[in-house]
Amino acid sequence: MSQKQLQSVLQQMPKAELHIHIEGSLEPELIFELAQRNGVALAYESVDSLRKAYAFDNLQSFLDIYYAGASVLLKEQDFYDMTMAYLQRAAADNVRHAEIFFDPQTHTARGVPFETVINGIWRACQDGPISASLIMCFLRHLSEADAIATLEEALPFRDKIIGVGLDSSEVGHPPEKFCRVFERCRQLGLHLVAHAGEEGPPEYIETALDLLNVERIDHGVRCLESPVLTERLAREQIALTVCPLSNIKLRVFDHMGQHNLLELLDAGLAATVNSDDPAYFGGYMNDNFLAAFDALPLGLSHAHRLARNSFNASFLEPEAKRAFIEELDAFFAKV
Ligand code: ADE
Ligand code: ZN
């Protein structure tokens, strides 16, 4: 199969996205449109100058700009428009199902009501072209008490959320800081995930599993530094939601040729490919697949496996999962 044919397979194959921060899908054009609509002053005078500021060298330098970008989101319709734009873009990449992170504390801290945030995002998911569900993330640089207060605010909207996650500045904010709130979420029947092993050490992956009882690890690429952990992740088939372009932009790896996606797969891990914050990191789902497959010796069987992992690791009901995997296998049977 030629490189061109492989690229076409990557673009056309059905897939699920399990690691997308909806605030990270806010394109500079929409930031400017919303700023104007809401009368919010921006520190940049044009779309181009904002885009030029996207020169990150670590997670924190990205987060500073990402939280500033989110400041234009004030009304329910703003959250709707942002989410609908993402869902349409994902559909064009043949994403069939997305599990979308949102960061309520980024908005409630600015005085935007919780219900404004969730109602806008939720309504877009109902109207959008693909299957979608919501995972509420706690910001780990804030206190556990703040996370608990956020969970309380979310309780009236329990049926609109399938799970909770943990994001923001990783180093210095280990998973164990959030033991109690994750235990309450588990008792509520919510699915549990956490960012771990992006910039933080492999121990954070272990404590996310053992102390927070998470079902998937977001990023997790530093697991390979611990052979014992790698072996466990393979044995228990804990999915990793890997984000190749993000890892390069935030200098987790120097360049794509050094990304460890193939090593993760070769170690028998349930790795998936995702976009993280596509408006900031230079691409949506297919851009991530194309960049990784262009730089690494990955082929057709890896593509099939990554897409299959994405449906398997999703929180879809077994029947929906089976239907998507049947569609995927039928697609590959014809390739
Ligand atoms: N919030 C948005 N993107 C993130 C990432 N890659 N890591 C941690 N927190 C985030
Ligand atoms: Zn992330």
Side-chain angles (χ1 to χ4, degrees):
M1 169 171 283
S2 71
Q3 201 62 15
K4 258 211 149 51
Q5 285 167 317
L6 179 58
Q7 287 170 352
S8 166
V9 167
L10 293 168
Q11 286 161 334
Q12 300 303 319
M13 69 180 182
K15 51 186 80 74
E17 172 143 63
L18 306 178
H19 187 156
I20 158 76
H21 301 263
I22 200 62
E23 294 89 349
S25 74
L26 199 50
E27 292 286 346
E29 289 77 9
L30 189 53
I31 291 180
F32 268 78
E33 192 182 318
L34 295 179
Q36 200 157 38
R37 196 156 96 186
N38 290 329
V40 175
L42 290 172
Y44 302 90
E45 63 174 35
S46 68
V47 166
D48 275 352
S49 61
L50 175 57
R51 221 184 266 282
K52 282 210 179 76
Y54 293 179
F56 322 112
D57 48 16
N58 60 24
L59 177 57
Q60 194 58 52
S61 61
F62 154 68
L63 289 170
D64 293 343
I65 286 203
Y66 161 86
Y67 294 130
S71 70
V72 299
L73 295 159
L74 293 179
K75 307 271 167 47
E76 185 180 313
Q77 192 61 36
D78 306 338
F79 291 91
Y80 180 96
D81 291 347
M82 168 178 68
T83 307
M84 184 57 82
Y86 163 72
L87 292 169
Q88 287 172 344
R89 186 63 187 76
D93 279 2
N94 291 300
V95 173
R96 296 284 189 270
H97 171 70
E99 299 188 353
I100 298 176
F101 294 141
F102 69 110
D103 287 344
Q105 289 155 296
T106 299
H107 314 297
T108 53
R110 300 180 288 114
V112 178
F114 185 95
E115 63 182 282
T116 299
V117 178
I118 193 151
N119 286 341
I121 298 173
W122 168 258
R123 194 158 52 81
C125 291
Q126 300 311 108
D127 295 349
I130 63 170
S131 156
S133 34
L134 300 180
I135 297 178
M136 176 174 82
C137 284
F138 301 117
L139 298 180
R140 69 203 302 159
H141 68 275
L142 300 178
S143 68
E144 187 181 47
D146 208 312
I148 290 170
T150 301
L151 177 60
E152 301 284 348
E153 285 190 277
L155 288 180
F157 306 93
R158 163 68 187 86
D159 61 331
K160 295 186 166 61
I161 296 169
I162 57 156
V164 297
L166 190 61
D167 65 359
S168 190
S169 325
E170 186 182 4
V171 174
H173 302 285
E176 51 268 35
K177 187 175 157 187
F178 296 93
C179 281
R180 279 160 297 226
V181 70
F182 267 68
E183 177 54 21
R184 281 196 57 192
C185 292
R186 198 181 66 77
Q187 286 168 6
L188 286 164
L190 289 160
H191 286 291
L192 308 178
V193 300
H195 283 53
E198 177 187 17
E199 279 192 347
E203 290 74 32
Y204 283 20
I205 300 175
E206 277 163 349
T207 49
L209 292 171
D210 293 334
L211 302 178
L212 302 187
N213 291 299
V214 301
E215 299 158 78
R216 294 196 301 244
I217 296 288
D218 295 314
H219 294 292
V221 290
R222 288 192 57 192
C223 70
L224 293 183
E225 293 169 32
S226 163
V228 172
L229 174 62
T230 303
E231 153 76 15
R232 173 187 180 182
L233 293 171
R235 193 175 56 247
E236 297 180 14
Q237 284 297 288
I238 308 282
L240 304 184
T241 61
V242 178
C243 306
L245 285 172
S246 164
N247 291 155
I248 305 313
K249 288 283 182 206
L250 302 186
R251 312 260 181 98
V252 174
F253 301 96
D254 286 340
H255 56 85
M256 198 60 88
Q258 289 191 344
H259 198 286
N260 66 7
L261 179 61
L262 178 55
E263 280 125 295
L264 296 171
L265 290 171
D266 283 345
L269 302 183
T272 62
V273 166
N274 306 271
S275 70
D276 205 5
D277 300 284
Y280 292 88
F281 297 150
Y284 287 77
M285 272 295 259
N286 288 353
D287 301 309
N288 275 273
F289 273 106
L290 291 172
F293 277 67
D294 185 48
L296 299 167
L298 292 159
L300 201 56
S301 65
H302 299 108
H304 193 170
R305 202 170 134 202
L306 287 163
R308 183 194 299 264
N309 287 349
S310 74
F311 291 118
N312 264 331
S314 75
F315 297 136
L316 284 164
E317 295 299 326
E319 206 160 298
K321 220 181 246 197
R322 215 173 10 250
F324 282 129
I325 291 174
E326 257 172 41
E327 185 199 353
L328 175 70
D329 290 347
F331 173 89
F332 272 93
K334 290 206 201 113
V335 166

